[in-house]
Amino acid sequence: MKIIFYFLLTCFISTGACYGALYSRTPFLLYAVAAGIWVLFIRWYFRRSKKDAERRQMQQQFQDFMRTQSRSRR
């Protein structure tokens, strides 16, 4: 749900910056804002994906460890 909120916020900000660039004397600054907000969103998304993958891997390792512990006690 948080991803959807950030995605929509990114879309609104970049759309507003692009519309503002149409009537601006210096449109390149607003185009840079639009591109920059997308770069920030993509960086945040991939960092979050990496952390989630690491968390899943740690949980899997813990489950494997607990499974071997329960087998060795028998």
Side-chain angles (χ1 to χ4, degrees):
M1 193 66 162
K2 193 175 185 181
I3 294 172
I4 294 170
F5 173 73
Y6 283 139
F7 177 74
L8 290 174
L9 185 65
T10 301
C11 287
F12 286 131
I13 291 172
S14 65
T15 302
C18 287
Y19 279 145
L22 291 174
Y23 303 107
S24 176
R25 290 184 183 184
T26 56
F28 295 113
L29 179 64
L30 291 171
Y31 287 137
V33 168
I37 197 74
W38 278 105
V39 168
L40 289 175
F41 173 76
I42 291 169
R43 277 186 55 203
W44 171 81
Y45 179 76
F46 282 124
R47 188 179 314 148
R48 179 180 170 147
S49 296
K50 185 178 176 182
K51 285 182 181 180
D52 287 344
E54 289 173 356
R55 187 177 305 120
R56 282 192 301 270
Q57 182 182 9
M58 297 260 312
Q59 289 174 349
Q60 183 65 37
Q61 288 175 350
F62 178 73
Q63 289 175 356
D64 291 343
F65 173 74
M66 293 306 290
R67 199 173 300 123
T68 58
Q69 292 298 313
S70 66
R71 288 180 189 162
S72 65
R73 291 183 184 177
R74 290 182 185 179

